[in-house]
Structure formats: C-alpha cells, structure tokens
Amino acid sequence: MMKKFLKSLFFLGLFIVLGHTLPAQRLDSLLNQLNVKYPQEKLYLQYDRPYYNPGETIWFKAYLTSGNLPSAISKTIYAELINEKGIVLQKKIMPVIESGGASFFDLADTMPGNVVYIRAYTAWMLNFDSTLLYHKPISIINPVKKTIPTPGFYSVNFFPEGGDLVAGIESLVAFKATDQSGNPVNINGSIIDGKGKKVSAFAPTHNGMGTFALKPLEGESYKATWKDKKGSSHETQLPETKKEGVALSLNKVRDHVTYTLKRTDSAAQAFTSYFVIAQMQQQVIYSARINLSAKNEVTAPIPIDSLATGIVQLTIFNADEIPVAERIFFINHDNYYFNTDLHAMELNFSKRKRNILQVDVGGSIVTNLSVSVTDEGFSTAPANRDNIYSNVLLSSDLKGYVYNPAYYFSSLEDSVAQQLDLVMLTNGWRRFKWENLVAGKWPVIKNLPEDYITISGNVYGPTANILKGKEITGILNTKGGDDLFTMPVNKDGKFEASGVAFFDTAKLYYQFNQDKDKVLTSTSSFSIKTNFVNAVLPAASFLNNFFAPVVPDTGMAVKNKKIAKLLQQEFKEGNKIKSLEVVTVKTRVKTAEQKLDEKYTSGFFTGGDGYSFSVADDPNARTALSILDYLRSKVAGLQISTSGTPSATWRGSATSIFLNESATELSQVQTISMNDVAMIKVFRPPFFSSSGGGAGGAIAVYLKKGDQGNKDFKGMDFVRLNGYSGIKEFYSPDYEKLTGVVPENDLRTTLYWNPYLLMDKSTRRIKIPFYNTDNCKKIRVIIEGMNKEGLLTREEKVFE
C-alpha cells in the first residue's frame, strides 16, 4: 500500500512534499503537546430505558474513555439530574471501576415538567470547554402536565465543503434542514443569484441533508429560496464568496481517500503555499506541504488502511500557519467492536414466572458489560437513537446535533457510508481549535485528575518550624471497618491522603503522630474535607438549546401515563411499588443476616448476589476450625481445600478475600478465631469490587464490633466526611422465594438491570435469571460494554 502511495506522489513532482517539513514539525509538536499534557476524556451513559414516568428510577452505567480507549486518567465520575431551570436536583459521585461507574436517580412521584437533563463529567473534564461535558435530555411522561405543542419552525443551514466558497472554483455545498426540535424535514428549493437567476436546485437525500454543486462568481451573492413541508416559502442567504483563497474537496470511496486543493488562476503568492495536517484523536496521521505556485490544482491520497475506526480532521494551513480550510471524514474499518452471544435459556411470559438469559463472550480479555431487560409493551425503541458505538466514535466529537446517530453503525453498505459523509459535511470537529494551538492558548488546568477520594486538610496555630517533619495519624471509620494511615504536614500546615474509597459517610479520627498527651493536637485547629468538585451550574438557556428528548409515540405515551397514574395512586396509599423491596421489608421481620448487612456492610458489599452467614447464630461455627472449614459444603460451586496450602476457587479462578471490606490474603483470615467473626458473605462470580474482575467471586469476613456500632477512639477528635454516593441494588423479585405480603400489582417496566457484568479469562459466560411482571408479553434486551483494549460491544434482541 505504501509503495503504491509513494509511486502516485512521484508523478506529482514538486507539488507535494510528504512528511515533517519545519512548519509541519511545529504543528505536529503542538498536537503532541496537546495530547500528552491535555488528553481529553469522554463519557457515555447507558440507561435502562429511553423515557420514564414520575416516581420511577433512572438507572445508568457510565463508560469513561480517552482517545477512544479506556481512560486511566480519572478515578471519580460525577452525574447530575437537572431540571428545566438549570437547578441540580440530585448529584451522584461514583468510583471508576474497569473504566466505568454506575448509579441511579429516583424521580419524585410529583415530578413537574416533561423533561429533565443528565450531565456527567470528571474533574479533569472541567478544565476544557463545558459543552464537551456529557449532556442528555430525558423525557418524563407526566400524566398531569400536558405537553404544549411548539409552533412549527423550520431552518436550513448551508456548509461549503472545506469551509468557504471561492470565486471561480466549483465547490460542493452541503445543507441540513431541521424543525425546531432538531428533527430532519423534507424541503425543496433553488439557489438564486443576485440578479434573480436560478443557478441550481436542491432537495434532501437523507434525513434533511443533501448537497449541490455551485461555481460562485466574484462579486456575486447567492440565496436559497425554499418551501417547508407546510408549503410556506422561505429565503436563506448563502455564505459570502471569497475573491481569493483555496478550495478543499475530498473523495472517499470505501478505504481510499484523496483530497484536492484548488486555487484561483490569478491568486497572489500568499495563496500558493500550504501545509496539510490530518489528525485522529490528537495524533497526526498524515502531513504534507503543497506547492501551488506552478499549478492551480493538486490531488493527493491519504493512506488510511492501518487506522482505527473514527473521525479524521483534515486541516489546510497557509504559509503563516493559519487554518484556511478544513474537512472531517469518517473511517469505518469495522474493527471497533467485539461480539457477545445473548440467547434465552428459559422463557416464560406467564404472570411472574421465571426467565433465564445467557451471555457469552469469547477470548480472555477483561470485559465490562451492562444489561437492561425492559417490557417492550411500555418501552419500545425510539426512532432517534444513540448508543455506545455512535456516541463514543461519532456524536461526542462533533459540533452540532446528529439525528439518529446509531443508524450509521447499522450497516457497512456504501449507501450508509455516503449518508454518514453528509453528517461530516454538515458538522464540525469540536475537541480543539487549531487557532488556539498555533497561538499558544492552552487550556487552564484548575482541576487535576482525581485518584479516587482525596482527604485534605489544614492545621492552624503551630508555626512552620513546629510543623516541620510532622505527620497526622488518621483512622477512617466506616461500617466496613477501620483504615489507618498517616498524612505528612507541609510547612503551610496542609496535608492530604489520596486513593481513598468509601461510601455514604465516615468518621475520620485524627491527631498528630507521636503527640504525647495530645499537647500539640489540642492546641491546634483543623479543617478537613473530601475534595469533590462542583461544576458551574448550567444556564437554563444552555439546556434549552438541546433539542427535544426522545419521546414515545402517542400509543406508548397513553400506556405509560396509565402506569404513571397507578404509580401515583400507590404512592398516595404509601405502597411504593417502584421499589418492591420497601413493601417486603415493611411487612416482615428482618432476618439476622439482613440486620448484620445493614450494620456492617457498605458500598459494593451491601446486598449482592450470594450468601450471608450470621456466624453468631450458627451452632456449627463453634466447632469449625477456621473460616474455610466453616464454609466447606455451604456454597454450591465454591471449591475449598484446607490440606497443604489452603485455597478457595470458583469456576477455576481464585476467590478474592476481604477482611472488613479491605482486600487481604487467605492466610490472614485463616488465623482468625471463629469467636471473633460476626458475619461472612460469599459473593457469586463475578464480584466487581475485586481487582481483575472478580472471576472467582469473593469471601468477605466481618469481625465483631460489639453493640457500639461505629466505635469511638478514646481521646481522638473526629470529623464526618462524605464519600461516594450510596449504592442502591436494583430489586428484581424472586417470586419463588418471596415471603410475607406479596405486592398486589407488579408494574415494573424494567424487569432486570445490571450495570456490572465483569468477565475475564476464567469467566466468559453469565446467566441472568429474572421474573416476569403481571402482563409483560415481549421483552427487549440491550447489552453494551467495553473491554480492556477499548473495543466496544452492543447487542439488542427482542424475545416474545
């Protein structure tokens, strides 16, 4: 390929010089500096379904990438639920696990309005343009508030290829016609010159977009006259024609790309020398110098056969390193995904009957998946769709709104590729501006990447000499146990500890290390906090610029409004159907295991898929020689060996061991007396709090705390700190085991949601059991995810 490429350039003589000329080297260096010092992150959120009723829960999974690969920059993700006035209603803070995070928003049963917005970001992302943060409008099907129809408004925008119309050079002009909600509309029209003469006609060929050719004349102006779908007439002025300049055009046929530069015949010397840079994810993939002094047109190829799938930005610079033309194009080598195999092992659409799905993933790479199962009767797929493919690879990098971006990844047909090129022609690159790089205007870094939670503080009172060499001893007390660490104090009295992770709230006990009788501690003042960031509130006008959210069709909206009214009635009666667990808990006495779970566990260890053992209430515990001896034969699938070197495995992988929710070695817990153990939890694989994906599940051992709960450390001061947002487990009732008063109505629209299906070389198959609702006859299953190498996956199936 490269030999053919160089051979074709030979015949162009001295018109093209490939490689790093001095100006090209400088531009390449600028881009490399941007990539190394200012790498950018992107977030994509998968939801359990596209729209919601008041009183329901929005479940979501966040995927964090950088350069279209799993991001290693940030360890904390923020998500906000925002109303139409720009007020943050709820905020969730999540730790990053395998480049993902998960949480939820509970909608009020009296939710006003018909739309809410979700904004997601990392602290590092706040250093860049705020429009690059993740934003998503979510439709709320409100049975009380009626949607007021917006008066029809239609517009057409025109985009000359390369950016400018140049006198005397025929150029391709793209256009996009939309309504007030950003939806495409069909129009037809004509291009008229200043004398009223028709010079061209235009009509959309796909989703309101199309192209036409125009050779503008010097000193002439052009406008478009067109009619909307209602038959009303409109006029739109075309961009002004430049007297001199360079016109850029691009020809892409499958895996072959060539670009052409044209100048006017009488161009001045300033319009004859150019530098060409093509970049992908802030990496230079092509550079050349173009000499148009002896020729007014040059065509050259760009080799793309070895590139990944994604957007390429092609920019033309003049001799003064000023960008004068630009074009983006999309490369699809069909190499961006891995396959999952989703199939039904057991289907039963009778009332509240059991179903089992199975997911298989080939290979051995650590894989992070999320899955939703919804009632197709209440949550059909919308016409305007976005997914993990289209968001990560396309819409998140474009300036402008893309209607139904998922469509462009539905087929490899040439027709779809040509339609995608219309999107490229009518949208711009938004990750950075070359003008700023050339001018040396770099992003101002106010927030460094977060290494999970950072606890920071200040000491006030002692002088710098007294503080020299001092350390603060901290004991972080959570429901899961205590963590001891030290924090060096600098001369300004500042100290911090990073890489900490805990949920909800915790007590931090503190004092100066080796401070006999607390003399120094008692005479000092302390200010201690967790360093979570707060983003600037978005203006309501900014949110309103987002086009309308995905909404159900009329029939689906009527169905959902009926459900919403039933939900509101349930709320009034104090029976919160949206969380069936609440009903169950209120109608029966909590088990010893449930009480211990509330007392001892936190975060990922709360609830979970597995077994709980109240050791104090089990007579067999008194005779057990060790923890492994106690667990032997109690958990199906858990293989235990106590001869020689003790071991615990599940499905061929070593089982992770935790003591008071801190990772430890099996040998350490084997020496613990069973009399000191309060509870043991065994989690089925995969257990996503474990490193490496938790393919062998996990054993969590909790030592007795006594009746005092969170104990006080005698003589030590403490401060309460906020940690990551509490985790709420998606409740999927097991009707074969459910005891007590069973809810009269099962109105769930989402039957199953799991944001963490983690697989590694030992776990490549996972079964998903769930129970049907009262009336569901068809389900839609969507799986999305990403593996360690940055490959994406998506599978969607309907079962009935």
Side-chain angles (χ1 to χ4, degrees):
M1 176 67 185
M2 184 56 70
K3 288 183 178 179
K4 290 176 62 179
F5 174 63
L6 293 174
K7 185 177 180 182
S8 65
L9 291 177
F10 175 77
F11 293 103
L12 295 174
L14 299 178
F15 301 119
I16 297 179
V17 178
L18 276 181
H20 290 16
T21 60
L22 288 177
Q25 283 181 347
R26 180 175 126 78
L27 295 171
D28 190 354
S29 176
L30 291 174
L31 197 60
N32 182 65
Q33 185 175 349
L34 180 70
N35 187 51
V36 172
K37 293 185 177 181
Y38 310 97
Q40 295 196 26
E41 292 181 310
K42 298 189 292 187
L43 276 167
Y44 164 72
L45 270 61
Q46 178 190 358
Y47 302 91
D48 61 312
R49 60 185 195 270
Y51 32 78
Y52 299 85
N53 299 302
E56 293 184 323
T57 298
I58 299 175
W59 301 94
F60 64 88
K61 168 69 173 292
Y63 290 94
L64 181 64
T65 63
S66 179
N68 290 350
L69 294 171
S71 176
I73 300 172
S74 298
K75 299 301 182 183
T76 297
I77 295 173
Y78 301 82
E80 298 165 338
L81 183 71
I82 304 172
N83 68 11
E84 295 169 278
K85 297 179 181 180
I87 298 173
V88 176
L89 303 177
Q90 298 176 43
K91 182 175 182 177
K92 301 294 182 179
I93 308 175
M94 300 153 277
V96 175
I97 299 174
E98 296 295 346
S99 300
S103 195
F104 64 94
F105 292 115
D106 284 330
L107 298 176
D109 58 304
T110 55
M111 191 82 189
N114 296 299
V115 63
V116 292
Y117 300 89
I118 291 181
R119 178 173 71 166
Y121 53 89
T122 65
W124 180 250
M125 291 170 66
L126 296 179
N127 295 310
F128 306 94
D129 189 340
S130 62
T131 62
L132 299 177
L133 305 183
Y134 175 90
H135 294 87
K136 176 80 171 181
I138 301 288
S139 179
I140 305 299
I141 306 171
N142 201 316
V144 177
K145 183 174 180 179
K146 295 183 178 180
T147 303
I148 301 175
T150 305
F153 175 78
Y154 307 98
S155 63
V156 182
N157 292 294
F158 294 90
F159 307 88
E161 184 175 20
D164 292 318
L165 292 173
V166 180
I169 300 177
E170 184 175 86
S171 296
L172 195 68
V173 180
F175 64 90
K176 179 163 65 173
T178 60
D179 63 12
Q180 71 283 352
S181 297
N183 298 315
V185 293
N186 286 322
I187 62 168
N188 59 80
S190 301
I191 304 300
I192 309 298
D193 65 15
K195 303 180 182 62
K197 179 182 177 182
K198 176 180 176 180
V199 296
S200 185
F202 65 94
T205 57
H206 169 70
N207 277 354
M209 298 177 291
T211 61
F212 59 88
L214 178 65
K215 187 176 182 178
L217 301 177
E218 182 181 344
E220 188 64 270
S221 62
Y222 299 88
K223 67 180 179 181
T225 61
W226 52 279
K227 289 186 177 182
D228 61 35
K229 64 179 185 180
K230 293 182 178 180
S232 301
S233 297
H234 304 266
E235 290 186 357
T236 303
Q237 200 71 29
L238 264 64
E240 183 180 352
T241 301
K242 289 190 172 182
K243 179 181 178 181
E244 291 184 303
V246 64
L248 168 65
S249 62
L250 186 123
N251 183 37
K252 182 177 180 293
V253 180
R254 297 192 177 181
D255 289 340
H256 301 282
V257 174
T258 59
Y259 67 95
T260 300
L261 295 184
K262 296 180 182 179
R263 65 165 175 81
T264 53
D265 293 336
S266 57
Q269 184 65 30
F271 297 94
T272 61
S273 181
Y274 298 95
F275 303 100
V276 181
I277 295 286
Q279 70 86 20
M280 189 178 196
Q281 295 302 319
Q282 300 182 185
Q283 299 279 347
V284 173
I285 63 166
Y286 171 89
S287 64
R289 179 188 176 195
I290 305 294
N291 185 353
L292 290 177
S293 59
K295 194 174 184 179
N296 62 2
E297 178 179 334
V298 166
T299 298
I302 300 177
I304 63 170
D305 57 318
S306 62
L307 298 179
T309 295
I311 297 174
V312 175
Q313 178 193 29
L314 179 67
T315 308
I316 313 301
F317 299 83
N318 65 16
D320 295 324
E321 298 181 352
I322 298 174
V324 293
E326 189 167 278
R327 171 76 147 87
I328 59 174
F329 60 94
F330 195 87
I331 297 174
N332 188 352
H333 286 318
D334 200 34
N335 57 357
Y336 56 87
Y337 63 89
F338 64 94
N339 292 317
T340 59
D341 180 15
L342 166 68
H343 53 279
M345 300 293 291
E346 181 181 331
L347 282 180
N348 192 335
F349 288 105
S350 298
K351 181 178 179 179
R352 303 187 182 186
K353 293 300 182 180
R354 191 172 188 245
N355 296 267
I356 300 177
L357 303 177
Q358 182 171 296
V359 181
D360 292 273
V361 177
S364 60
I365 302 172
V366 173
T367 302
N368 185 358
L369 305 176
S370 45
V371 58
S372 68
V373 181
T374 56
D375 185 341
E376 179 68 1
F378 291 94
S379 187
T380 55
N384 180 11
R385 308 185 71 184
D386 194 9
N387 60 39
I388 193 168
Y389 295 155
S390 57
N391 187 278
V392 173
L393 299 173
L394 179 66
S395 55
S396 61
D397 287 332
L398 292 180
K399 184 184 297 181
Y401 175 69
V402 180
Y403 177 81
N404 195 21
Y407 165 77
Y408 303 106
F409 295 84
S410 63
S411 170
L412 291 175
E413 293 292 328
D414 289 345
S415 58
V416 176
Q418 292 165 5
Q419 291 162 348
L420 176 54
D421 200 48
L422 290 175
V423 176
M424 300 292 101
L425 284 164
T426 54
N427 292 272
W429 176 260
R430 68 173 186 160
R431 285 284 151 186
F432 66 87
K433 295 181 179 180
W434 272 112
E435 294 90 335
N436 291 339
L437 266 64
V438 173
K441 296 180 180 178
W442 301 100
V444 178
I445 301 302
K446 297 180 180 179
N447 300 295
L448 295 176
E450 292 181 312
D451 180 15
Y452 294 109
I453 298 174
T454 295
I455 298 174
S456 65
N458 282 80
V459 181
Y460 302 98
T463 64
N465 286 334
I466 294 176
L467 292 176
K468 186 176 181 180
K470 296 297 184 194
E471 292 180 332
I472 300 290
T473 295
I475 302 175
L476 189 67
N477 174 232
T478 67
K479 287 199 299 182
D482 304 318
D483 287 319
L484 176 68
F485 50 88
T486 59
M487 297 172 281
V489 182
N490 69 15
K491 63 179 182 179
D492 298 320
K494 295 181 179 180
F495 57 91
E496 70 174 31
S498 60
V500 180
F502 63 93
F503 291 83
D504 296 316
T505 61
K507 284 184 179 179
L508 177 68
Y509 294 87
Y510 61 90
Q511 71 174 42
F512 279 104
N513 194 14
Q514 298 181 351
D515 183 19
K516 187 176 181 180
D517 298 327
K518 290 185 59 181
V519 174
L520 183 57
T521 303
S522 60
T523 57
S524 303
S525 297
F526 295 83
S527 173
I528 305 174
K529 63 179 182 178
T530 48
N531 286 354
F532 292 127
V533 300
N534 288 305
V536 176
L537 292 177
S541 58
F542 171 76
L543 295 173
N544 292 333
N545 284 333
F546 286 97
F547 290 116
V550 169
V551 295
D553 59 35
T554 304
M556 195 61 57
V558 171
K559 283 185 178 182
N560 275 273
K561 285 185 177 181
K562 289 181 179 179
I563 289 291
K565 288 181 179 179
L566 287 173
L567 284 169
Q568 288 188 344
Q569 184 63 32
E570 296 287 351
F571 274 107
K572 290 178 182 178
E573 296 172 0
N575 183 16
K576 299 182 86 175
I577 285 293
K578 79 181 182 78
S579 180
L580 298 180
E581 186 178 25
V582 175
V583 178
T584 304
V585 169
K586 286 185 177 179
T587 56
R588 57 190 174 96
V589 178
K590 294 179 181 178
T591 65
E593 288 79 8
Q594 288 175 323
K595 292 178 180 178
L596 287 172
D597 202 75
E598 290 182 0
K599 180 177 180 179
Y600 284 91
T601 67
S602 65
F604 303 121
F605 295 86
T606 302
D609 181 19
Y611 305 81
S612 294
F613 302 99
S614 175
V615 175
D617 298 325
D618 188 350
N620 294 327
R622 302 184 191 125
T623 59
L625 299 177
S626 65
I627 288 172
L628 287 187
D629 188 51
Y630 171 75
L631 290 175
R632 192 194 308 274
S633 302
K634 282 185 174 290
V635 178
L638 180 63
Q639 303 297 315
I640 289 177
S641 174
T642 55
S643 60
T645 302
S647 66
T649 60
W650 206 327
R651 298 178 185 172
S653 296
T655 301
S656 300
I657 307 297
F658 294 87
L659 179 60
N660 292 337
E661 299 184 357
S662 295
T664 188
E665 299 296 328
L666 183 57
S667 57
Q668 182 174 345
V669 299
Q670 274 295 86
T671 62
I672 296 174
S673 169
M674 291 300 296
N675 292 326
D676 296 328
V677 178
M679 177 177 63
I680 300 174
K681 297 192 71 173
V682 181
F683 296 92
R684 294 186 180 92
F687 180 60
F688 63 82
S689 184
S690 303
S691 59
I699 297 172
V701 179
Y702 293 86
L703 300 181
K704 292 178 180 178
K705 293 181 178 179
D707 296 331
Q708 75 272 27
N710 284 340
K711 61 187 176 184
D712 289 331
F713 291 87
K714 187 175 181 180
M716 293 185 70
D717 295 326
F718 71 88
V719 61
R720 292 188 182 275
L721 300 175
N722 291 321
Y724 289 121
S725 302
I727 290 179
K728 173 182 175 181
E729 184 180 2
F730 178 85
Y731 182 70
S732 182
D734 184 343
Y735 283 118
E736 294 179 0
K737 296 181 180 179
L738 195 61
T739 60
V741 178
V742 178
E744 181 179 353
N745 299 310
D746 187 344
L747 305 177
R748 291 172 297 141
T749 303
T750 301
L751 281 68
Y752 181 85
W753 165 256
N754 192 333
Y756 276 107
L757 292 179
L758 295 185
M759 299 186 179
D760 65 5
K761 63 181 180 180
S762 301
T763 303
R764 310 308 293 176
R765 170 177 293 174
I766 292 179
K767 291 184 178 180
I768 300 172
F770 63 92
Y771 287 81
N772 195 22
T773 61
D774 291 347
N775 299 300
C776 178
K777 301 301 180 185
K778 183 190 294 188
I779 59 172
R780 180 178 296 273
V781 184
I782 297 177
I783 296 175
E784 292 189 328
M786 178 171 60
N787 68 18
K788 278 279 192 181
E789 294 183 346
L791 294 179
L792 309 173
T793 193
R794 188 177 198 276
E795 186 171 7
E796 180 174 354
K797 285 186 178 179
V798 174
F799 298 96
E800 56 183 319

